[in-house]
Each structure stands twice: as structure tokens, then as C-alpha cells.
Amino acid sequence: MSFRRTSILIPVLAFAAGTVYLQAQRPARVDDVALRNAAQSKGEDWLSYGFTPQETRYSPLDQINAANVSRLGLASSYEVGPGGGGQEATPLVHNGVIYSTTQWSVVFAVDLRTGKEKWRWDPEVNQTAVRSKICCGVVQRGIAIYDGKIIAPSIDGRLFGLDQETGKPVWETRVAYTQENYTLTMAPRIAKGKVIIGVAGAEYPVRGFIAAFDAKTGVQSWKFYTVPSPTDKDPGLVKALATWPKNIVGGGGATVWDAISYDPELELVYFGTGNAGPWSEDTRVSKGFDLLYAASIVAVDVNTGLYKWHYQNVPGDEWDYDSVQHLLQADVTIKGVKRKVIMQANKNGFLYTLDRTNGKFIRAIPFAKINWALGLDEVTGRPIINPQAKYSETESVNITPGPGGAHNWSPMSFNPNLGLLFLSGQSAATGMTYAVQPNFTYNPQGQNMGIVFGGRGAAAAKPVAGAAGGGRGGAAAAPAENVSPEVAAARAAAAAAAATAAANAPPPPAPAKLREPLNVIGPDVTGGFLMAYDPASGTERWRVPGGSAIGGGTVATAGGIVFQATGGTLYAYSADKGTKLLELKTGMPGQMAPPITFMVDGKQYVALQVGNGANPPPPGGAAAPANPTAPPAVKPRLLVYALDGTAKLP
Ligand code: CA
């Protein structure tokens, strides 16, 4: 692909006298010690996706604080590329250089002191060949830094170790093949010298897995499949085999496309797994089976990749409840006992607290409206699934949360001093209506949900919008999603085209009968929100309106602030009470990526990527319908903010 580099750099960060001293405090190369001790650092660098191995996204920086954050303004910006999808990447910062990734896995490095691009590297993905294998937008969620290298996944299944100084490949390896329907969208993590990464694509015929590679050489260390097969040796997978029907349709799904968390003391790698495929029990012929380890949180040994424990969020899931959301570790005193916990706000509307040493359920609370479950078993945490939530060819049911989820990939954060978790999510007024697709035939090269969205019949044939990130982010499923006017217009045009096609199509089969509305549990709130949760008491501390489950997310700081990116705006709230301190319009349309904060030459900054660029074609590869009234696409940018910043967008 051709990339046009434009005059995009606004150098604003000047050299300061203290530079040499400050830099001497930090490692020239990022190693295990630096990654492990990020929480004890001064917070100048942002070295890994979740800031710490525990994925806390809590910065020790406090120069920007509750008293002065209202002075935040744009300091500089950088055009990250042509766009053509949502921005989802968390940039990394090391020694005054910011590294990140954008559409089609292009990686870039920008010197924050000069504002100049240091290097840019394009893995030259065969876009035509790969596009139909990408379920949910041409996106990347990030990269890793280790031992003088930037570890960069390519959406087409390759993984690269790039020289941190030059951007040139040092090693290249293969995680998976798009010919086998896998893609890579998640940020790799580093754990004990290994690169850990999972695959996306649970709606395709794939067998989900997570794999580890030597970060110095790219050689594979281990691979853990999330779907068992009769030839497996790992006792964890042997145990799982009985939870599947004999002939698994397709590969089983259960891909690992977002969260990974690592406990360096326990030497455990934690990850969440996607839905089983196809979505309905009828089409995957699995009635009554739990399907381990789909829709689960799993721990494996970092050295061997062998199974340690699991907790299944949704046995026999039928509603696309991928359980890959952010896994955040904390040490919390619960009922007088100090517990090593891991927390997840699941797509399914429950916020879970588990014991991360053994996977035992501690508690969960509903944080959004839920009607698929009546509650959870207090001891085991197994959901009590509402029998009315099951659907068939003849009976459809409206389920909330929908496939976009009450929480999707938007990162949470955790302030250890206040003991509060911050979650950006949404509670849907109405969910998604599901019925089983009649006469389903398996497509070995495409997506296989086996669902008629909205029930059966023309009125229900809603297109599945794909630009929303990991999950099925259809408009009905994700009302609070950030979309640019162009994307909204493209979706409206696509919906109009679908309606025309439906009008010209032969009469649909008789609609499935819609069940009466189901019993709803959870807080009586509707729309997007930011909430603070106290895991020690298991209670919500505060909640403010506005937020998204897909896009943006949060970062908390020692300045007593939680930043939230949503709806084209950067917000800051007081962490203790949720008082709004800042509402800063980025002026950029399109999906926001998570905010980070860092320091260069003694000055604190906040940065994030925003924008969609040109309309992404819908899944399947066809061009998006032309919309003559849409404004010209604004190319995505990396925006850097500082106190009293006065820069302007071009
Ligand atoms: Ca899914």
C-alpha cells in the first residue's frame, strides 16, 4: 500500500537541562525487571499494554492532578496513517519515544522531543486476500517493547520483532494463517522473556489458541488450545473433552482476542476466551454441553503453557458472550482476608472477582441490565441461565446485553490507594433478538453464526455492522459506541441497501414467535457510563453517565484522576467521588483508542489515538456504499495533551 506522509508534526517538547539526569534513571533496554516494576517506577515510561503485568493502567504520575487538569490542552499531534477502521491501539512510551500501530498493522515511532517521526514500518499485508477474514474492523490493539525490540503483530497472522531504533525486522515468525481464518488484533504481552499472543476469529471455523514465543528469537515456546481434541496430552484439555459433543462443528471457536494478564510471582498467564462457534446450540449440535474452555477465564503456567485453572463465565453460551475482556489483578482485603484477585467486567453484564491463585469464584455483581441469567450460584459462580433465554428456529428472544456487550475491549483501570476499579461500559435499553437460522449450511471459509438477527423475517434482517471492534458491534447492540459521522452515514446507507434488497427478496419464512420480555436483573440504568467499583466491599462507589464498552477506555493516576476517552471527548473525573473535572473535545471524529500518560523531560503528558479515516468496507470485502453527503474522511491522529497546551489540529 502506498502511504502518503504529510506535514503532520508539531514539535512542542523542548529540551530541558535535566534531561540527562532523568534518562540515566531508566533502562536503555526494556527488560523483565523494568516491566515487572512499572508500578514502582516514576511513571515516565508506559512500557506495556496495561502499564503493569497486572494490567492496572494506574500511573504514579501526579503533575497533572485534580486541581489543574482543567488546564489540559493539545500539545502536539501526529497523523498515524490513512485509516480505514477504528483506532484501538494503546501506544507505548520509552525514553521520550512513543511507539504504536494503526490500520493494516503499520507500526510507527515518534520522537516526543522533536515531534519527528523516527521510523515507520509496514508489513505490507495482502489486504485483498485478508479483508474477508477480518470479522470486526481493520484494527490493532497494540504492540510490546522488550530487549531493544518492538514486538508487532500483523493482522494476517505474522509476528515481528523490530529493531527499536530503526524499525527494521530482526525476526519474523508465524502465529497463524488467514487461510485458516485466523487474524491477529490483540496487543502481545511480555511474560518472563516470552511474547504471549492469541488469535481472533471465533465466528469463523477456527480452533482458538494462545501461544508463546521467545522474545529474543521469535521461536515458539508453547501453544495452548482453548478447544480440546482427542490427541491432547495436557490434563486440562483431556478434562475438557467431555464437555463437547463428539464431532465439534468447525473448530469450536473460543479465540483469545483481547485480554492477557501476567502474575510474575505465581508465574501464571491469564486470558479470556471467545464464544464457541456457531453461536446457537442447534447449529453447533451441542445441546446441554458446557464447551470448555469457551467463554471462560483460563490460567496457564508461563513456562510450559500447561493448564492451571479455569472459570467458565457462560457454559454453553448462545449469545456471543466472548469472555476476553480486560483481566485486572489486585490484592484486596475481602471479609478480613487479603486475597490475590483477578477482575473482569464481562460482555455478559457481570463484574467478576476471582481468586487468581486457583480460579475460585469470590463474587460477581451485575453492572448493567441482564436478562439471560437469573443470577449466579453463590459458591461456584455458575450462572443460573434463564431457560427462556434459549431460542430456536420458531421462537426468538430479545437478550440483553447484546453481542456488543455491557463491556467490550475498552480498558478499565485500578487505583490501589483508593481501592477502586474504573469501568467504562453500557447498559442497553433493549438487547438483540436471536433466532436460529433455518437450513443453516456451514461455510468453511467465512463467518458462521447460524443466527437470524432480530428474529426471522424482513424487518429483522439487520446487517451486522463490523467496524466496532472485537465483538459484533451492531448498532442495536452498541448504542453508546463512538462512530464518526462518516461511519454512521455508511451504516445508514448499508441499512438502506439491505432494506431495498429485503424488499426485492422472495417472501421470508414465517417469523419466529418473539417471547415475552424476560426477567431483568441489574441496576436500572440505560446508556453508557463510567463507574467506580470497590472490590473489597463488592459495591459500586459512584457512576456517571457517558461511556462506551467498545472504544476509548480509562487510565487512573496518582493525581487523583481517572481519565476516560469516549464519544470524541477526553474526560477527567475525580477518582474518589466521580466529580467531572475536564471535558475536552478532541475535534476528531471516529473511534477513540485508550488514553495513556507519561513524562518527558519532567513534564507530564496524556496521549491517545482517534479517528477512522476512510470508511471501512463491511466484512466480506465489498466496497462500502458511496455516500455523496458524507464529509471527507479525517485521517486518524495521535493526540498529545499537556497542561496549558495551545496546539491546534491542522
Ligand atoms: Ca464473538
Side-chain angles (χ1 to χ4, degrees):
M1 75 189 240
S2 68
F3 175 74
R4 276 181 300 154
R5 225 173 283 187
T6 52
S7 57
I8 46 190
L9 310 168
I10 308 169
V12 292
L13 314 182
F15 277 102
T19 304
V20 174
Y21 170 76
L22 283 169
Q23 285 190 79
Q25 308 300 299
R26 292 137 78 187
R29 285 192 163 208
V30 175
D31 57 14
D32 289 312
V33 175
L35 292 173
R36 184 176 177 150
N37 294 337
Q40 287 77 46
S41 73
K42 291 179 183 168
E44 292 153 311
D45 293 332
W46 188 288
L47 297 179
S48 67
Y49 183 78
F51 188 73
T52 56
Q54 295 80 14
E55 305 268 322
T56 47
R57 289 190 184 247
Y58 175 76
S59 166
L61 295 176
D62 62 0
Q63 195 178 76
I64 300 171
N65 54 47
N68 63 21
V69 68
S70 62
R71 286 165 38 205
L72 209 65
L74 189 67
S76 66
S77 81
Y78 166 77
E79 186 186 300
V80 302
Q87 287 296 311
E88 301 193 355
T90 295
L92 303 182
V93 173
H94 181 221
N95 276 339
V97 180
I98 191 163
Y99 304 86
S100 195
T101 178
T102 182
Q103 269 76 47
W104 298 112
S105 319
V106 171
V107 188
F108 55 86
V110 177
D111 186 325
L112 288 160
R113 293 190 175 87
T114 63
K116 291 211 168 85
E117 182 178 286
K118 199 170 150 82
W119 52 259
R120 170 174 287 267
W121 185 74
D122 184 346
E124 296 178 341
V125 173
N126 182 339
Q127 299 183 15
T128 309
V130 169
R131 200 181 280 275
S132 67
K133 305 297 185 181
I134 301 169
C135 87
C136 309
V138 182
V139 297
Q140 301 293 150
R141 250 165 259 113
I143 52 173
I145 298 186
Y146 188 74
D147 189 40
K149 294 176 197 68
I150 299 298
I151 314 295
S154 179
I155 198 162
D156 59 10
R158 293 172 293 163
L159 180 68
F160 296 89
L162 306 176
D163 184 296
Q164 191 178 336
E165 284 304 309
T166 64
K168 294 202 167 27
V170 177
W171 55 254
E172 173 180 345
T173 191
R174 177 62 75 170
V175 179
Y177 291 91
T178 48
Q179 290 89 335
E180 294 177 346
N181 301 301
Y182 293 108
T183 48
L184 302 182
T185 60
M186 71 177 296
R189 314 299 209 276
I190 304 295
K192 211 178 173 187
K194 295 180 174 65
V195 183
I196 318 278
I197 190 165
V199 288
E203 278 68 40
Y204 295 78
V206 298
R207 185 183 180 204
F209 69 84
I210 183 171
F213 301 84
D214 185 318
K216 289 188 194 295
T217 62
V219 174
Q220 186 178 299
S221 308
W222 50 256
K223 188 172 189 177
F224 178 89
Y225 279 104
T226 56
V227 176
S229 94
T231 56
D232 288 320
K233 301 279 188 293
D234 184 330
L237 286 169
V238 172
K239 190 170 71 174
L241 196 60
T243 69
W244 288 80
K246 251 211 166 78
N247 298 307
I248 296 173
V249 175
T255 53
V256 182
W257 58 261
D258 191 32
I260 291 179
S261 191
Y262 171 54
D263 186 325
E265 284 173 18
L266 296 172
E267 298 205 329
L268 292 181
V269 173
Y270 309 98
F271 55 92
T273 64
N275 55 283
W279 286 3
S280 76
E281 286 188 328
D282 280 11
T283 42
R284 68 183 176 230
V285 201
S286 69
K287 251 193 187 18
F289 287 93
D290 281 358
L291 313 178
L292 292 171
Y293 299 100
S296 300
I297 298 166
V298 182
V300 298
D301 185 313
V302 70
N303 302 296
T304 61
L306 289 172
Y307 168 93
K308 282 290 177 181
W309 60 252
H310 80 277
Y311 168 80
Q312 189 171 40
N313 303 77
V314 191
D317 164 57
E318 287 205 285
W319 313 281
D320 191 32
Y321 288 150
D322 299 80
S323 297
V324 302
Q325 294 73 45
H326 193 161
L327 290 165
L328 195 153
Q329 303 170 46
D331 294 345
V332 182
T333 301
I334 298 174
K335 292 178 183 163
V337 181
K338 188 119 177 173
R339 306 288 296 264
K340 289 177 183 291
V341 308
I342 192 159
M343 295 177 278
Q344 182 188 63
N346 196 281
K347 252 189 178 183
N348 72 18
F350 286 104
L351 201 170
Y352 296 87
T353 304
L354 307 179
D355 184 325
R356 72 174 182 272
T357 67
N358 56 19
K360 289 278 180 286
F361 175 80
I362 296 175
R363 63 158 66 102
I365 63 152
F367 65 91
K369 286 182 181 171
I370 294 172
N371 73 357
W372 66 274
L374 301 169
L376 303 174
D377 182 289
E378 280 182 26
V379 177
T380 64
R382 188 181 173 95
I384 302 155
I385 292 173
N386 187 339
Q388 297 291 307
K390 299 283 182 178
Y391 52 92
S392 67
E393 276 189 30
T394 54
E395 282 191 290
S396 63
V397 61
N398 187 274
I399 294 294
T400 188
H407 177 230
N408 199 296
W409 62 263
S410 299
M412 310 189 294
S413 50
F414 182 77
N415 181 320
N417 299 325
L418 296 172
L420 290 179
L421 174 85
F422 305 105
L423 162 66
S424 177
Q426 64 182 26
S427 186
T430 57
M432 180 73 89
T433 300
Y434 301 75
V436 172
Q437 183 182 338
N439 308 315
F440 171 75
T441 51
Y442 206 81
N443 175 3
Q445 288 301 320
Q447 296 195 43
N448 293 280
M449 274 82 100
I451 300 296
V452 180
F453 292 95
R456 283 165 58 179
K462 281 196 177 111
V464 181
R472 298 267 81 59
E481 178 200 349
N482 306 318
V483 293
S484 66
E486 304 95 286
V487 172
R491 285 186 183 171
T500 306
N504 296 331
K513 184 170 173 288
L514 181 64
R515 286 219 179 94
E516 293 296 310
L518 271 51
N519 175 64
V520 176
I521 61 170
D524 187 20
V525 293
T526 302
F529 58 81
L530 175 69
M531 79 176 254
Y533 173 72
D534 173 4
S537 63
T539 55
E540 178 179 322
R541 183 70 65 83
W542 53 259
R543 186 186 293 239
V544 293
S548 36
I550 296 169
T554 71
V555 59
T557 76
I561 298 171
V562 52
F563 288 100
Q564 180 197 28
T566 187
T569 305
L570 179 65
Y571 294 90
Y573 293 90
S574 70
D576 55 351
K577 295 202 172 74
T579 307
K580 192 195 285 182
L581 306 169
L582 175 77
E583 181 173 346
L584 206 170
K585 304 279 181 207
T586 62
M588 292 281 297
Q591 190 172 58
M592 303 179 87
I596 62 162
T597 186
F598 54 89
M599 190 173 258
V600 181
D601 299 338
K603 187 168 179 179
Q604 185 182 353
Y605 298 87
V606 177
L608 78 169
Q609 293 170 219
V610 192
N612 283 72
N615 292 337
N627 178 14
T629 62
V634 177
K635 289 174 183 166
R637 302 183 83 82
L638 170 70
L639 306 177
V640 182
Y641 293 93
L643 293 179
D644 307 317
T646 56
K648 297 268 184 289
L649 288 174

